[in-house]
Amino acid sequence: VEVKKGDYMAIGGKNIIASGQNRLEVMKALLDHLFENDEKELLTIIVGDDRDDEEVKVIEQYVNDNSDF
């Protein structure tokens, strides 16, 4: 995965899973990677003070639509 200056980067384990300029798309790529793991039991998403509430809603819906959490 190529990471350019200013990119968002998704890391899973010791690997870079995705990078890009679109924060939502990078986050979805990371979630897809995590959903492939059959041993999942818990998902915690931490958001900061500078969060975009609409993006948080999109990610919540993406998790609900694409996983059994």
Side-chain angles (χ1 to χ4, degrees):
V1 175
E2 182 180 349
V3 180
K4 298 177 184 171
K5 184 177 181 176
D7 279 358
Y8 293 99
M9 183 172 47
I11 300 173
K14 296 181 180 181
N15 300 312
I16 299 173
I17 305 304
S19 71
Q21 294 289 312
N22 185 306
R23 181 168 46 187
L24 278 175
E25 293 305 315
V26 172
M27 182 67 177
K28 288 177 182 179
L30 176 61
L31 289 169
D32 289 340
H33 173 78
L34 295 173
F35 296 157
E36 292 172 2
N37 179 355
D38 292 333
E39 298 177 16
K40 63 187 177 299
E41 294 180 14
L42 176 67
L43 175 66
T44 302
I45 299 175
I46 300 170
V47 297
D49 288 339
D50 63 342
R51 73 189 172 276
D52 179 321
D53 290 335
E54 287 303 313
E55 283 185 347
V56 173
K57 289 178 186 176
V58 168
I59 292 299
E60 287 176 353
Q61 189 61 51
Y62 189 82
V63 170
N64 289 333
D65 291 347
N66 293 284
S67 73
D68 56 358
F69 282 102

